[in-house]
């Protein structure tokens, strides 16, 4: 029997879709699931693709069905289950075989697993896969971390199944050990920020301008034809237009206002802070989801505190204010991307990955959740200035920030005065204002710290450094 080019363990929704994608692109694949019944069901429903699939009911049968060196995708719940599955696999593997974790793993787990196999004949790939169920089935964005040799073994298969943007495959080897999963984590952090900002604009349209869900859908539809063109704006238009079949009400109006999270947004915030990079948009988005989940507490708080005393939402020229909202959302999104790329740049230096920023922007142009029109511009900006400190100081994006600054300022101030929460939009404005201000206020913080002996300070004139405590001598 012809051996498979690759194997896959875990036939849940994501695993099944990825396996079908691999088979459909002409690659023979061996599949295994802990439950043999799930393997049989998957094969029975594979239809015309059955000829490309080798269903296996034991690990021994599964590994024997794959051409060495064997690349094996593990598509199961992240964390301990992956470690357990790897231990079960090891007795059946040979020199050069590659275990590939394609789940939403913490990059630190990926680095640990890679290190544990360093002196063994086996190796490991941490592979970020973005695009959800639809992407897995028809073409995801794929971010690979591991040795270059192991990448070359899987490059043909992964290129065939990846999303394509104008013919360019949205897959790349990004560096050693945890590089792929780290980039996927930051992708998800940007996604959190993007979704939060869109939701805040929706709140202004709903509670400020008093538009219906259908009317707001039309607004997002128009925006999707311009500079905001992106997958998230596209699906926002669609979900706002959807009707609940039970009540006949707009679907969005019957959905509980409590959003969950899977951990990658939180990891993005933690790693940004560990690396000393401000990622305030992502932080605001994660905090927003946490607050949203506290529904019962929010209901009680409104009873006790009431809503804030506010000025009435200003009567404005509707067309003009909608234009401001569009520009404000564009500005805030730019801030989120800039912060995400800044975190990746810091991690690249910290872990020696040499992350290719233009390539990351390229492979996010299709397949992934945050695909958007201006990723082409981000690619161009980093190609021209690969070592730039921050995306927003490149010529194209500096101009965009200048062009949208006034709109973002008007939208945030209007929302705040009307009592509408816009934490992510406000964080973007504060980020821009803080980053571009040469003379800030941290000198007072340093003076306070030095007063109680916590830290020395650097003088503006560079003459000397004083180390506290000051005691009573404020002129010392």
């Amino acid at each position: 029997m012809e051996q498979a080019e690759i194997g896959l363990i875990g036939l849940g929704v994501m695993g099944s879709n990825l396996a079908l994608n691999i088979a459909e692109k002409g690659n023979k694949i061996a599949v295994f699931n802990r439950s043999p019944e799930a393997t049989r069901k998957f094969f029975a429903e594979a239809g015309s693709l059955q000829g490309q699939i080798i269903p296996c009911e034991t690990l021994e049968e599964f590994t024997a069905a794959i051409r060495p060196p064997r690349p094996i995708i593990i598509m199961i719940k992240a964390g301990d289950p992956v470690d357990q599955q790897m231990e079960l696999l090891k007795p059946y593997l040979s020199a050069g075989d590659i275990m590939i974790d394609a789940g939403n793993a913490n990059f630190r787990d990926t680095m640990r697993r890679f290190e544990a196999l360093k002196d063994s004949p086996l190796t490991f790939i941490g592979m970020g896969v973005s695009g959800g169920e639809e992407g897995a089935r028809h073409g995801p964005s794929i971010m690979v971390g591991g040795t270059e040799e192991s990448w070359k073994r899987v490059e043909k298969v992964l290129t065939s199944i990846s999303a394509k943007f104008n013919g360019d495959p949205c897959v790349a080897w990004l560096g050693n050990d945890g590089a792929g999963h780290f980039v996927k984590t930051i992708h998800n952090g940007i996604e959190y920020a993007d979704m939060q900002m869109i939701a805040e604009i929706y709140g202004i349209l709903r509670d400020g301008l008093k538009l219906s869900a259908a009317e707001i859908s039309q607004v997002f539809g128009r925006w999707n034809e311009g500079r905001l063109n992106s997958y998230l704006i596209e699906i926002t238009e669609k979900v706002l237009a959807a009707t609940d079949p039970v009540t006949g009400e707009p679907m969005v109006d019957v959905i509980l206002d409590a959003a969950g999270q899977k951990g990658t947004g939180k990891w993005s915030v933690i790693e940004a802070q560990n690396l000393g990079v401000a990622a305030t948009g992502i932080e605001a988005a994660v905090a927003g989801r946490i607050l949203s989940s506290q529904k019962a507490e929010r209901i009680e708080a409104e009873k006790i505190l009431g809503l804030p005393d506010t000025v009435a939402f200003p009567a404005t020229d509707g067309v003009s204010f909608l234009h401001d909202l569009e520009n404000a959302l564009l500005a805030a999104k730019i801030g989120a991307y800039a912060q995400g790329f800044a975190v990746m740049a810091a991690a690249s230096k910290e872990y020696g990955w040499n992350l290719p920023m233009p390539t990351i922007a390229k492979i996010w142009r299709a397949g992934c959740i945050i695909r958007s029109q201006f990723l082409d511009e981000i690619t161009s900006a980093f190609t021209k200035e690969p070592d730039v400190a921050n995306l927003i100081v490149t010529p194209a994006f500096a101009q965009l920030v200048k062009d949208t600054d006034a709109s973002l300022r008007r939208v945030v101030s209007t929302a705040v005065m009307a009592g509408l929460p816009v934490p992510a939009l406000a964080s973007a404005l504060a980020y821009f204002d803080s980053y571009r201000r040469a003379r800030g206020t941290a000198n007072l913080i340093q003076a306070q710290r030095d007063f109680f002996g916590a830290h020395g300070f650097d003088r503006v004139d560079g003459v000397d450094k004083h180390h506290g405590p000051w005691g009573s001598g404020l002129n010392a």
Side-chain angles (χ1 to χ4, degrees):
M1 180 192 297
E2 180 187 1
Q3 286 185 302
E5 189 64 23
I6 196 166
L8 184 143
I9 295 175
L11 293 170
V13 174
M14 285 292 289
S16 295
N17 282 341
L18 197 64
L20 291 173
N21 186 3
I22 292 170
E24 188 176 61
K25 298 307 189 296
N27 308 289
K28 204 165 190 70
I29 180 172
V31 297
F32 172 83
N33 196 78
R34 181 176 58 179
S35 163
E37 291 77 16
T39 304
R40 296 175 197 137
K41 182 175 184 292
F42 169 78
F43 185 72
E45 295 176 352
S48 62
L49 295 177
Q50 285 184 347
Q52 293 296 112
I53 299 169
I54 304 174
C56 305
E57 297 194 2
T58 68
L59 286 176
E60 183 176 15
E61 177 190 3
F62 171 71
T63 51
I66 307 166
R67 177 178 73 81
R70 305 175 183 90
I72 298 171
I73 296 173
I74 301 172
M75 203 67 162
I76 61 177
K77 184 179 179 181
D80 290 342
V82 174
D83 291 313
Q84 294 164 13
Q85 184 63 71
M86 289 174 64
E87 290 303 312
L88 291 172
L89 260 178
K90 284 179 183 179
Y92 303 100
L93 300 181
S94 306
D97 288 353
I98 310 161
M99 289 181 280
I100 306 169
D101 180 4
N104 262 342
N106 187 313
F107 86 103
R108 293 186 180 277
D109 284 341
T110 303
M111 294 177 77
R112 171 179 55 79
R113 291 166 184 148
F114 190 89
E115 181 66 19
L117 294 173
K118 184 177 64 174
D119 297 324
S120 81
L122 308 176
T123 191
F124 188 77
I125 283 177
M127 186 171 86
V129 179
S130 179
E133 299 171 18
E134 184 72 12
R137 180 64 184 87
H138 299 291
S141 174
I142 304 174
M143 295 143 267
V144 178
T147 66
E148 189 170 9
E149 182 182 7
S150 63
W151 155 246
K152 290 185 182 300
R153 173 65 180 88
V154 297
E155 181 178 6
K156 182 181 176 182
V157 172
L158 297 185
T159 299
S160 72
I161 69 169
S162 70
K164 306 297 186 297
F165 182 85
N166 293 336
D168 293 333
C170 293
V171 57
W173 173 62
L174 300 177
N176 211 20
D177 50 67
H181 273 143
F182 187 90
V183 171
K184 175 57 164 57
T185 294
I186 300 305
H187 164 282
N188 285 21
I190 296 171
E191 177 187 323
Y192 270 56
D194 205 343
M195 294 173 74
Q196 175 69 25
M197 291 161 179
I198 291 171
E200 290 173 15
I201 294 290
Y202 157 73
I204 294 172
L205 291 166
R206 182 191 68 185
D207 301 326
L209 295 182
K210 308 298 183 183
L211 300 184
S212 68
E215 290 170 327
I216 301 172
S217 171
Q218 293 173 3
V219 171
F220 278 98
R222 290 193 297 273
W223 288 350
N224 197 46
E225 296 172 359
R227 296 302 303 272
L228 286 173
N229 175 258
S230 64
Y231 174 68
L232 284 172
I233 297 293
E234 176 188 335
I235 65 170
T236 299
E237 175 193 2
K238 292 178 179 178
V239 299
L240 286 165
T243 301
D244 175 34
V246 176
T247 64
E249 296 294 318
M251 180 66 75
V252 72
D253 289 343
V254 301
I255 295 175
L256 185 67
D257 60 324
Q261 57 172 319
K262 295 182 178 179
T264 47
K266 176 179 67 178
W267 297 342
S268 297
V269 173
I270 291 170
E271 296 309 327
Q273 294 183 347
N274 284 339
L275 291 162
V277 179
T280 55
I282 301 172
E283 292 170 10
V286 173
R289 290 202 189 188
I290 292 170
L291 280 169
S292 80
S293 69
Q294 298 169 344
K295 177 68 172 179
E297 291 181 46
R298 290 189 288 116
I299 290 172
E300 289 305 309
E302 183 173 337
K303 292 176 183 176
I304 296 168
L305 300 173
L307 294 177
D309 293 328
T310 61
V311 300
F313 202 81
T316 61
D317 172 6
V319 174
S320 176
F321 192 66
L322 287 177
H323 181 66
D324 270 348
L325 288 172
E326 181 180 13
N327 275 342
L329 183 52
L330 177 61
K333 284 163 71 80
I334 290 169
Y337 277 85
Q339 291 169 17
F341 275 92
V343 175
M344 289 189 290
S348 184
K349 293 177 182 176
E350 177 73 14
Y351 301 111
W353 288 328
N354 195 28
L355 293 177
M357 298 303 167
T359 299
I360 292 170
K362 281 183 179 180
I363 65 174
W364 285 353
R365 293 180 300 176
C368 73
I369 302 300
I370 64 171
R371 58 187 184 265
S372 62
Q373 184 186 71
F374 60 74
L375 277 164
D376 257 343
E377 296 170 74
I378 293 177
T379 301
S380 176
F382 280 120
T383 299
K384 293 174 183 175
E385 299 183 66
D387 298 320
V388 68
N390 193 297
L391 180 67
I392 62 173
V393 296
T394 61
F397 284 91
Q399 190 59 52
L400 274 174
V401 171
K402 291 176 184 177
D403 291 344
T404 55
D405 173 80
S407 289
L408 179 59
R409 202 169 297 280
R410 283 191 292 268
V411 166
V412 169
S413 59
T414 299
V416 169
M417 293 305 294
L420 301 178
V422 287
L425 294 174
S427 78
L429 181 60
Y431 178 76
F432 292 143
D433 284 348
S434 297
Y435 190 77
R436 65 184 170 195
R437 186 167 294 275
R439 177 65 168 164
T441 56
N443 52 308
L444 177 59
I445 296 172
Q446 288 298 84
Q448 292 167 333
R449 295 180 72 203
D450 193 66
F451 188 81
F452 53 74
H455 188 71
F457 64 76
D458 294 305
R459 290 174 59 94
V460 174
D461 57 19
V463 172
D464 60 17
K465 177 182 285 188
H466 175 76
H467 291 275
W470 290 348
S472 60
L474 295 185
N475 294 318

